[in-house]
Amino acid sequence: MSKRRLPIGIQTFRKIRQEDCYYVDKTAYIRRLLDEGTHYFLSRPRRFGKSLFLDTLKELFEGNQGLFAGLHIHDRWDWSVRYPVLQLDFGRGNFKESGYVKANLMAQLDAVERRTGVASDYATEPERFAHLLELLHDHAGQPVAVLIDEYDKPILDALEVPDIARANRDFLRGLYAVIKASDAHVRFTFITGVSKFSKVSLFSGLNNLTDITLEPSYSALCGYTDADLDAVFAPELPGLDRDQIRNWYNGYSWLGDEKVYNPFDILLLFRRRRFAAYWFETGTPTFLVETLFKRRVSSLELGAMESSDELLSTFDVDDMATEALLFQTGYLTIIDAKDRGGRWFYRLGYPNREVRQSLNESLLRYLVQDATRQTANSGQLYDLLEANDFDGLQTLFHAFFASIPYEWYTNNDIARYEGYYASVFYSYFASLGMDVRVEDSSSHGRTDMAVLFNSHVYLFEFKVIEMASAGAALAQLQERRYADKYRALGQPIYLIGVEFSKDERNVAAFDVERA
C-alpha cells in the first residue's frame, strides 16, 4: 500500500476523494441511518469529523456517484434518484452580537436560493425556511435532505453574555421546530454540534429527533478506530510506537465496543512524526477552566467523576452540569457504564495522555497567572524528581504555592482543605505526563497520591495543620504500610509526608523516607 495525501483540515468529501487522500469509509453508517429512521442528532467534540460526515451526506443525496467508487454504500444506493439538499452551517460569525444569528441565517438562505434557483417571498426566518423546503421539494420532485452543522455555536459563543445566548437559543428552537412541521417535505435530517442541549430547551418542537450520541452502534461514526489505523493508514505507521499512539490519543468512548482517536491528532502525528497536544492546542478552554475554578472542582476529581444518563444530558444556558460540560467538550469520556435498576450511571475519566496533561497545564496556568513561571516550575520539577533531589523539591513546592497570587484567596476558604493542595501537586505532575494515581486503594487504606516515574515510586500524604505536628503525614504513610502494594514492582519506594500551614497557605513540613 502506497502513501496518500493526509487530509489535514479538509472537510470536503469531494476534495478528499478527488485528491487521493486517505479516507476512512463511514458510508456503512449512512446506510444504517437511512434504514432505521429519518431525523437524527449527533453530539461530538470539535475536530472529530462531523463536518466531513455531513458533506459526505450532501454528495450522496445529490447523486454524485463517482465520488463513492469502492465505498460500502456504492452498490447499495439508487443513483438514479437525486434529492435536493438544504445545508446550514453556523460555524462562522460573531454570535455574541445581538440579532446576528438571524442575519447569519438569512444570508445562508440567500445562498441556498442562488444555488438552487428557487426563491421565497417570506421575510421572516422560520416561514422562509419552511417555504424553501416546500419549494425545493416541488422543484426537484423529491423531498429534501436537511443538514445542519454546528447547530449550537450561536449559543456556545455567547455563553458569557447570557441574555444573548438565551435569545439565540430561543430563535434556534423556533427554526428547528420547522423541520417537524415540514415533515412531508423532508427526506432526511442530520443535526450535529459539540454540545447536547436538552430537548426541552432546544428541540421541544422537534420531538421526533433520534439522538444517536450514546448509541453503541454509532460510537465510531466519527473518529478513527485501531482497525482504521491498521487498514487505512498502514504506510504511515512504521517508525511510530503503537502503544505510545494509543496512550497519547486513543480512549474516547461513546459506549461502543471500540474506543476511538480524534482524527486531527492522528493526521498531524503522521505529518510531524512527533507526539504533541495537537487537538488541545487548537482551542484554549478558557471558559471551561474558569467554570471549574468558579465551581471549585478539584483536578483530583476530574480523573474519576460519576454521572448519570440524565446528568450528561443536562446542558442549557442557565443549567450546565459540570460533568456534561466536560464530557460533551471532549475533556472527559466514559470509562465505565452500569445499569442500576433501569438507570444508567457512568464513570468518567480522561480519554488519554494528551487531555490529562494539557488540561492540567491549563488549570495551573490559570491558577499561577504567570505562564513563564509556571513553565519554569514544571521543568524544574521534572529534573529534580529525576535526580531524587528532595531538598530541591521542597524548595520548589514552596515556590509553587508562593507563585499563586494572594488575591486568589480573597473570599475563598479553599486553602483550608487538603484537597486543594493535593490538586496543585497532582496538576503539576499530570501536566508532565507522569503516571499519577490518586487515592490508590490497598488493604491498609488509601494513599493520597502515588507517582510512578523513572522506575521509582513516590507515595504522598497531605495534611493541613495549624501548628507543627512532628511528621504526622509521614507517620500515616508508615503506619498504614501503603508501600506494601508497590513492592512487587521491585522499584525504590519513597514516602513523602507534606504538611501545609493553614495561615501561610504553603508548605510547613516536607518529610521523606525510603520505604
Side-chain angles (χ1 to χ4, degrees):
M1 186 186 298
S2 60
K3 286 193 173 186
R4 296 184 172 188
R5 181 181 175 187
L6 294 165
I8 298 171
I10 302 177
Q11 300 176 346
T12 307
F13 179 69
R14 176 180 293 274
K15 189 172 184 179
I16 285 178
R17 299 293 286 168
Q18 291 181 340
E19 297 187 7
D20 195 33
C21 296
Y22 290 108
Y23 176 69
V24 174
D25 186 1
K26 301 291 185 179
T27 62
Y29 292 108
I30 297 176
R31 182 67 261 171
R32 190 185 308 158
L33 289 167
L34 292 164
D35 289 342
E36 295 179 350
T38 302
H39 305 291
Y40 292 98
F41 168 81
L42 176 74
S43 166
R44 286 292 185 269
R46 57 191 169 82
R47 291 191 175 275
F48 252 89
K50 302 183 298 295
S51 298
L52 175 59
F53 187 75
L54 279 185
D55 197 65
T56 306
L57 286 167
K58 170 185 172 294
E59 297 289 355
L60 181 75
F61 280 110
E62 290 181 345
N64 296 313
Q65 181 177 359
L67 299 178
F68 293 85
L71 300 184
H72 173 88
I73 205 167
H74 183 269
D75 298 329
R76 299 170 175 85
W77 182 254
D78 184 355
W79 297 103
S80 66
V81 181
R82 293 173 177 248
Y83 298 91
V85 174
L86 197 161
Q87 187 170 13
L88 299 176
D89 181 355
F90 291 103
R92 296 177 298 276
N94 178 19
F95 294 104
K96 293 181 182 179
E97 182 181 326
S98 179
Y100 177 78
V101 65
K102 297 182 180 182
N104 180 285
L105 172 64
M106 292 299 260
Q108 292 195 63
L109 296 180
D110 286 344
V112 170
E113 292 185 356
R114 288 194 300 270
R115 181 174 61 85
T116 60
V118 302
S120 170
D121 295 330
Y122 285 97
T124 51
E125 299 83 3
E127 287 74 19
R128 186 182 181 192
F129 183 41
H131 194 210
L132 275 177
L133 291 173
E134 182 180 352
L135 291 173
L136 288 170
H137 186 184
D138 291 344
H139 184 260
Q142 296 292 341
V144 184
V146 179
L147 310 176
I148 301 178
D149 198 9
E150 300 210 47
Y151 85 100
D152 51 349
K153 193 169 182 292
I155 309 170
L156 297 179
D157 281 4
L159 285 177
E160 296 175 21
V161 194
D163 288 344
I164 293 178
R166 290 187 205 98
N168 290 353
R169 176 201 61 195
D170 294 344
F171 173 79
L172 291 173
R173 181 196 295 133
L175 178 70
Y176 300 144
V178 169
I179 297 172
K180 181 180 180 182
S182 303
D183 189 62
H185 305 295
V186 176
R187 167 68 176 88
F188 184 82
T189 302
F190 202 89
I191 300 174
T192 186
V194 169
S195 61
K196 181 183 173 184
F197 279 83
S198 63
K199 287 189 176 182
V200 173
S201 69
L202 195 56
F203 293 124
S204 57
L206 187 53
N207 55 12
N208 58 342
L209 193 66
T210 300
D211 181 3
I212 60 171
T213 298
L214 289 180
E215 283 200 20
S217 59
Y218 291 106
S219 63
L221 185 149
C222 291
Y224 299 155
T225 65
D226 255 327
D228 292 331
L229 265 60
D230 289 330
V232 179
F233 296 100
E236 304 294 335
L237 292 173
L240 294 170
D241 186 311
R242 282 301 298 274
D243 288 337
Q244 201 172 3
I245 296 174
R246 292 187 187 98
N247 181 40
W248 265 90
Y249 303 122
N250 199 12
Y252 291 96
S253 172
W254 287 276
L255 300 180
D257 294 332
E258 292 185 275
K259 295 182 179 179
V260 300
Y261 298 85
N262 182 302
F264 188 74
D265 275 325
I266 293 301
L267 295 176
L268 281 178
L269 171 65
F270 289 154
R271 169 179 281 181
R272 299 182 184 175
R273 316 300 294 180
R274 67 181 182 88
F275 293 91
Y278 299 118
W279 172 77
F280 195 93
E281 290 170 355
T282 61
T284 305
T286 304
F287 175 78
L288 174 67
V289 171
E290 290 177 349
T291 300
L292 292 178
F293 273 98
K294 183 178 179 181
R295 298 181 181 181
R296 299 186 182 181
V297 178
S298 164
S299 61
L300 298 173
E301 300 174 42
L302 298 178
M305 298 189 89
E306 295 285 338
S307 186
S308 65
D309 202 11
E310 180 184 13
L311 200 58
L312 286 189
S313 301
T314 302
F315 197 90
D316 199 2
V317 177
D318 303 305
D319 185 15
M320 287 180 290
T322 303
E323 296 84 350
L325 180 63
L326 288 161
F327 172 67
Q328 293 178 22
T329 50
Y331 297 107
L332 294 184
T333 195
I334 296 174
I335 304 300
D336 188 39
K338 187 173 184 179
D339 183 356
R340 291 173 176 158
R343 281 190 69 195
W344 280 95
F345 289 83
Y346 306 111
R347 183 164 59 88
L348 306 178
Y350 296 114
N352 49 45
R353 174 176 172 173
E354 176 193 21
V355 176
R356 181 179 66 251
Q357 188 168 329
S358 301
L359 182 55
N360 277 281
E361 187 172 6
S362 291
L363 291 169
L364 286 173
R365 193 150 294 175
Y366 182 87
L367 190 63
V368 175
Q369 297 180 13
D370 185 335
T372 301
R373 179 181 291 185
Q374 182 257 315
T375 300
N377 284 347
S378 294
Q380 257 190 295
L381 171 60
Y382 191 98
D383 294 340
L384 290 169
L385 196 61
E386 192 173 43
N388 280 337
D389 182 348
F390 296 109
D391 289 337
L393 283 172
Q394 179 176 3
T395 301
L396 186 62
F397 288 143
H398 195 281
F400 286 173
F401 292 97
S403 66
I404 298 172
Y406 177 81
E407 292 78 12
W408 194 86
Y409 296 103
T410 304
N411 299 321
N412 192 347
D413 64 352
I414 195 171
R416 298 174 54 197
Y417 304 103
E418 292 169 11
Y420 159 69
Y421 296 101
S423 69
V424 175
F425 270 59
Y426 173 86
S427 289
Y428 266 109
F429 288 120
S431 70
L432 290 168
M434 296 180 182
D435 183 353
V436 188
R437 303 175 186 184
V438 179
E439 294 194 346
D440 203 8
S441 298
S442 71
S443 59
H444 306 294
R446 294 184 178 184
T447 184
D448 284 345
M449 188 170 73
V451 178
L452 280 64
F453 170 70
N454 197 29
S455 299
H456 288 65
V457 179
Y458 305 89
L459 303 181
F460 289 86
E461 186 70 26
F462 304 106
K463 287 191 178 298
V464 176
I465 61 172
E466 294 188 6
M467 60 183 67
S469 56
L474 179 61
Q476 181 168 322
L477 286 166
Q478 296 166 330
E479 292 167 4
R480 299 189 181 179
R481 298 167 55 191
Y482 289 142
D484 290 357
K485 178 176 181 177
Y486 299 92
R487 295 195 189 282
L489 295 174
Q491 299 175 351
I493 301 173
Y494 293 91
L495 309 179
I496 305 174
V498 187
E499 299 175 9
F500 302 94
S501 167
K502 187 182 298 183
D503 295 330
E504 295 181 10
R505 304 186 182 100
N506 212 317
V507 177
F510 189 90
D511 301 308
V512 182
E513 178 180 285
R514 181 161 175 174

